Amino acid sequence: MSPSVYMTGLSMGLGLIVAIGAQNAFVLRQGLKREHVLPVVLACALSDALLIALGVTSLAQVIALMPWLEPAMRYGGAAFLLWYALRSLRSAMTSTDALKVDNGIGTPLKATLATCLALTWLNPHVWLDTVVLLGSIATQFSGERLAFALGATSASFLFFFGLGYGARYLSPLFAQPLAWRILDGLIAVIMGSIAARLVLGG
């Protein structure tokens, strides 16, 4: 396995994933709440690993042969992101909650994972980045695609675990209800803008 190809996959994976998006915003929120962090970061990282594997093994060509799949993914993802944006906006406008790490009350694991997986698998940007873009780049490394895929997959695990568990250091800030309202407002803007770009084809 070529170390240079592995590092190329790692750097490309980090470059694509670091940008703030719907999935990252959700992981950040869970990390701040310290709620179901391990299942959430594992779900995100393993989902990325599956999508990267699909891209490297040529799912991009399948999507190219099924032109109806791209608009279906785009509009379905936009609808879900818009719903989540509106929910976050409502929370930003009305919530009086502060961060309480030890209150023992939170969203059930099943519902949390359902939201997490929806933000991952219903988001066309995730598919475009992992399957289409990384899959296309992998074609440049004949015989070393595994090294590239492992590098990109490592980037996902490093980023999501770092984001999920690193967020707790911001906990003192989020002991104030205003901080949560600002975060929810930012999440609403991020997800709403992504939904708009998907609808407009951007």
Side-chain angles (χ1 to χ4, degrees):
M1 184 174 74
S2 170
S4 62
V5 175
Y6 174 87
M7 291 305 298
T8 300
L10 181 69
S11 60
M12 286 299 303
L14 285 174
L16 290 173
I17 202 172
V18 163
I20 294 177
Q23 188 186 43
N24 296 353
F26 182 79
V27 174
L28 174 63
R29 199 175 200 284
Q30 292 302 122
L32 286 167
K33 294 167 65 179
R34 303 189 196 182
E35 183 180 278
H36 309 311
V37 178
L38 181 59
V40 165
V41 297
L42 276 176
C44 290
L46 290 173
S47 293
D48 268 13
L50 286 173
L51 289 167
I52 290 167
L54 287 172
V56 171
T57 57
S58 77
L59 187 63
Q61 287 87 334
V62 175
I63 293 176
L65 294 172
M66 303 169 67
W68 57 267
L69 188 59
E70 189 276 332
M73 288 169 54
R74 187 190 336 149
Y75 290 113
F80 177 79
L81 291 173
L82 181 60
W83 168 81
Y84 200 92
L86 291 173
R87 192 179 80 164
S88 296
L89 181 61
R90 179 183 178 186
S91 178
M93 296 175 65
T94 63
S95 177
T96 58
D97 293 337
L99 179 64
K100 296 175 183 174
V101 176
D102 58 351
N103 61 5
I105 301 172
T107 306
L109 175 60
K110 187 175 181 179
T112 299
L113 284 178
T115 301
C116 178
L117 292 173
L119 287 170
T120 301
W121 291 88
L122 295 181
N123 187 346
H125 282 179
V126 174
W127 285 77
L128 289 172
D129 285 348
T130 56
V131 176
V132 179
L133 184 55
L134 289 178
S136 298
I137 295 171
T139 61
Q140 302 174 22
F141 303 103
S142 179
E144 291 288 352
R145 292 185 184 184
L146 177 60
F148 181 86
L150 288 175
T153 299
S154 297
S156 292
F157 275 85
L158 287 171
F159 178 80
F160 285 120
F161 273 81
L163 182 62
Y165 285 101
R168 66 183 59 193
Y169 296 106
L170 297 174
S171 295
L173 175 64
F174 286 86
Q176 301 299 321
L178 178 62
W180 275 115
R181 296 178 69 174
I182 291 173
L183 177 63
D184 281 329
L186 289 173
I187 290 173
V189 170
I190 290 168
M191 297 197 181
S193 65
I194 293 172
R197 288 200 302 272
L198 289 174
V199 170
L200 297 174

